[in-house]
Amino acid sequence: MASPARVAVDPADGPGVAVHAVGLTFSYDTPEGTLVVLDGIDFDVEAGSVVAVTGASGSGKTTLLSVLGGLDRPHAGSVVIAGHDLAVLDRDEMARYRREVVGFVFQDFGLLGQLTALENVELALTFERVSRRQRRARARELLGAVGLIDRLGHRPRALSGGEKQRVAIARALANSPRLVLADEPTGNLDAAATAVVLELLMQVPAEHGSTVVVVTHDDAIAARADRRMHLADGRIVNR
Ligand SMILES: Nc1ncnc2c1ncn2[C@@H]1O[C@H](COP(=O)(O)OP(=O)(O)OP(=O)(O)O)[C@@H](O)[C@H]1O
Ligand SMILES: [Mg+2]
């Protein structure tokens, strides 16, 4: 049994704040030297909101999501998400944080090709303490909610791009995450599928109570978000 994850003491991590970042710094070691990608950024994300992260290619959007998602640890500063200070969690706590607190949606869907839509969503519930039957019921319910009740048995290759992304959204929501992180979720979709996926993402806070951080080049998404965070030169630029 893992020890309880460390709880933040910062009063700014109140019930209305989903993400509280102070001095968040992240850099890569490259042959050319240290590349500072996030240069001590401060921001809060309000619980139940949708935030769009924009910025030029290479500005650090994916890096920021990796840190928020517990895939990479901040090099300096702190990020407190749902009571977890990601700068101090150990490996096991990080793994548990990723499993229990976050849901991911990727540009290339990230579905397992050998599994059906239903099985892809069920898989995300493997670690939950629920029976196989309950997992199946929950996966059906989630896929029904994204309009795919008649595609449960389809493998990814037998789904359109938009349908694949809807499966990925259902999977991301399976463990009732506090935070949904989406990296250019409509980057591979046509206009019609983009509109459907956009609508689903915007409904996530109201329907599932999760906060959404979405990286996008799509102005339509950025315009619909509650807030926009633009990255440039390692900083957040308000525009
Ligand atoms: N593993 C790594 N090692 C070294 N440098 C990296 C690594 N990953 C990313 N970078 C560099 O860090 C910077 C930020 O990369 P990141 O992937 O976060 O950008 P991005 O804003 O998501 O770009 P895009 O819009 O093209 O997806 C880039 O200059 C990239 O070359
Ligand atoms: Mg990226």
Side-chain angles (χ1 to χ4, degrees), residues 41-209:
I41 61 179
D42 305 326
F43 64 92
D44 280 352
V45 177
E46 201 184 316
S49 67
V50 178
V51 173
V53 178
T54 56
S57 180
S59 60
K61 304 180 299 296
T62 295
T63 304
L64 177 63
L65 280 203
S66 309
V67 173
L68 298 183
L71 297 164
D72 281 308
R73 196 184 299 279
H75 295 158
S78 78
V79 195
V80 179
I81 298 176
H84 306 267
D85 184 344
L86 303 189
V88 302
L89 297 187
D90 68 24
R91 255 175 73 110
D92 288 349
E93 289 167 339
M94 281 279 254
R96 203 167 113 205
Y97 166 81
R98 287 195 297 270
R99 223 166 45 228
E100 295 180 357
V101 181
V102 196
F104 291 97
V105 179
F106 302 101
Q107 179 172 358
D108 62 2
F109 321 120
L111 300 176
L112 293 179
Q114 298 310 310
L115 302 185
T116 64
L118 189 65
E119 289 163 345
N120 265 284
V121 178
E122 273 181 62
L123 190 65
L125 290 160
T126 305
F127 294 103
E128 304 278 300
R129 287 187 197 87
V130 292
S131 67
R132 181 141 191 264
R133 203 189 152 104
Q134 284 170 306
R135 286 205 299 268
R136 182 141 293 201
R138 169 95 176 130
R140 281 180 69 96
E141 180 193 318
L142 286 158
L143 285 164
V146 296
L148 292 178
I149 204 68
D150 56 354
R151 294 287 186 277
L152 301 180
H154 284 228
R155 291 193 167 73
R157 67 172 175 279
L159 294 168
S160 72
E163 288 170 344
K164 280 191 270 232
Q165 200 57 302
R166 280 143 72 189
V167 175
I169 290 172
R171 179 190 54 187
L173 293 167
N175 60 344
S176 305
R178 291 282 291 272
L179 186 62
V180 171
L181 300 173
D183 198 346
E184 301 194 36
T186 63
N188 286 339
L189 304 181
D190 68 15
T194 291
V196 173
V197 164
L198 172 58
E199 217 40 56
L200 286 170
L201 280 178
M202 295 300 154
Q203 284 167 13
V204 162
E207 303 276 327
H208 299 270

